[in-house]
Amino acid sequence: MIFGAAAPLLSAVLFYFGTGFSPIPALTWLAPLPMLLLASRASGRATFALAFLAFLAGMTNQLDFFLRTPSVPRPIGIGIIVGCSLLFGLVVWLFRALARRGLIMLAASAPPAVWVALMYLTVLANPTGIIWPLATSVADVPVVTQIASVTGAWGVEYVVMLAPTTLAAVLWPGTVAAARLRTGVVGAAACLLVLVFGTVRLAGADSTGWRLMAAPAADEFGNGRQHSRMGLLRGVETGLSVAWAAQWGTPMISDPWGRVLAERDTEGTRQPFVTAFADVPSGPGPTVYARFGDWFAWLCLALAAAGLVALRSVPRQPGRGVGGQGAVLQGAAGQEEAARG
């Protein structure tokens, strides 16, 4: 009962400080975890509602901006906050539904895919695009963001959500040891691969030449840092240095590996003119993402569809009810294999 009351509050606090305009990257990875752990103790409706409210409360870190900004109509600003909160509620609900069917591997991997897939569909429907809520929050951690050169920022968004869903899936009550081990190994390997790739790519970073993407930006007070990190991620995606020339906000220069070379914060000064100066390297040239585009987002669409199909085809495992200990039968591992095969 105590955890049931504390989990939404804890997730809300972690989202508040781990996302938005001044995020603490370490908290971004932890923010979904309390709600994912609570999913085994609550009903489906309660899981969805509490996850929605937790993310909504966390998004209040941007509410004042959306209420004041002239660049985003207020209904759209509110729609962004509510829409992201509904999406997080759906992700946690899907995690619970798959885990209760013994599909532990899918419970770890499909919900992050749904998170990415629905954001990508939003981009396809909205030519102005989106600002990735998780990827921009960890943009100052270059060893993580290097994966964007292959998958686009979609891969960063996915792996940040994958880490807590994997941990929560491994800790799901009553899971058979084989499924627990298999899911933990695959999830940990995926996260480790991202870190190893990032380390290797940064170790081979070039330091000479001049290849630059200049981005004039009419940022506002409040969102400048977030927008500059979106530009930084675009540089990693394309293999270019970025000069983010913000009228207001955070003028920034980053190299093709997403490392900030220079920036000036005008948020507190409102100076009419500031300068950021740095020598920029040429970069690695066209990346995998530059050549093949949003292939990873399409892969997430396919994985999300697989999760939804499995949800309909595999019956829920009998357990001890909403109390949360829903024991998974020994046949769960076989069912999971069948669903994936």
Side-chain angles (χ1 to χ4, degrees):
M1 181 64 70
I2 295 177
F3 182 74
L9 177 61
L10 181 56
S11 266
V13 171
L14 291 172
F15 275 123
Y16 187 91
F17 291 104
T19 64
F21 300 137
S22 301
I24 302 172
L27 302 184
T28 312
W29 301 81
L30 297 174
L33 187 58
M35 284 309 310
L36 292 167
L37 294 176
L38 179 62
S40 66
R41 303 165 180 257
S43 68
R45 291 181 180 179
T47 294
F48 176 85
L50 291 174
F52 165 77
L53 291 174
F55 198 92
L56 186 68
M59 287 283 282
T60 58
N61 59 8
Q62 302 172 63
L63 180 60
D64 183 62
F65 171 80
F66 282 121
L67 292 178
R68 292 187 299 107
T69 178
S71 62
V72 180
R74 188 171 296 177
I76 295 179
I78 299 301
I80 292 172
I81 293 176
V82 174
C84 288
S85 302
L86 289 171
L87 177 54
F88 181 67
L90 175 63
V91 163
V92 179
W93 175 86
L94 178 61
F95 168 83
R96 176 187 182 275
L98 290 170
R100 283 175 64 85
R101 286 161 171 78
L103 303 173
I104 301 302
M105 184 77 75
L106 274 176
S109 58
V114 169
W115 176 266
V116 171
L118 290 183
M119 287 191 175
Y120 183 57
L121 290 176
T122 302
V123 169
L124 294 180
N126 174 20
T128 61
I130 63 170
I131 295 178
W132 306 284
L134 304 182
T136 54
S137 297
V138 300
D140 286 326
V141 188
V143 71
V144 175
T145 59
Q146 298 312 300
I147 194 64
S149 65
V150 177
T151 64
W154 305 113
V156 182
E157 198 80 12
Y158 181 88
V159 76
V160 175
M161 185 66 77
L162 176 68
T165 56
T166 296
L167 181 57
V170 169
L171 296 176
W172 186 266
T175 302
V176 294
R180 195 188 304 273
L181 177 62
R182 183 167 52 248
T183 301
V185 168
V186 172
C191 294
L192 182 62
L193 179 63
V194 169
L195 298 179
V196 170
F197 176 78
T199 300
V200 172
R201 192 168 189 268
L202 288 171
D206 188 14
S207 60
T208 60
W210 301 89
R211 183 184 296 235
L212 180 69
M213 176 169 58
D219 291 332
E220 302 175 57
F221 288 106
N223 68 351
R225 183 264 171 204
Q226 187 184 60
H227 281 193
S228 71
R229 269 41 184 186
M230 181 179 67
L232 178 153
L233 286 166
R234 289 300 191 193
V236 178
E237 288 179 336
T238 56
L240 299 173
S241 295
V242 173
W244 188 263
Q247 179 182 11
W248 300 109
T250 308
M252 177 213 68
I253 301 172
S254 62
D255 71 9
W257 297 272
R259 297 175 297 191
V260 177
L261 304 177
E263 67 179 334
R264 292 290 302 273
D265 182 8
T266 67
E267 297 290 342
T269 63
R270 293 182 178 263
Q271 297 179 24
F273 184 82
V274 298
T275 302
F277 175 84
D279 291 332
V280 293
S282 61
T287 62
V288 172
Y289 177 77
R291 290 187 173 96
F292 298 103
D294 294 321
W295 67 270
F296 185 78
W298 285 99
L299 180 62
C300 285
L301 282 167
L303 182 55
L308 295 175
V309 169
L311 196 64
R312 293 182 59 88
S313 60
V314 179
R316 187 176 64 187
Q317 296 290 340
R320 286 182 284 180
V322 175
Q325 303 309 310
V328 179
L329 301 181
Q330 291 296 320
Q335 289 182 347
E336 183 174 358
E337 292 291 347
R340 293 204 314 273

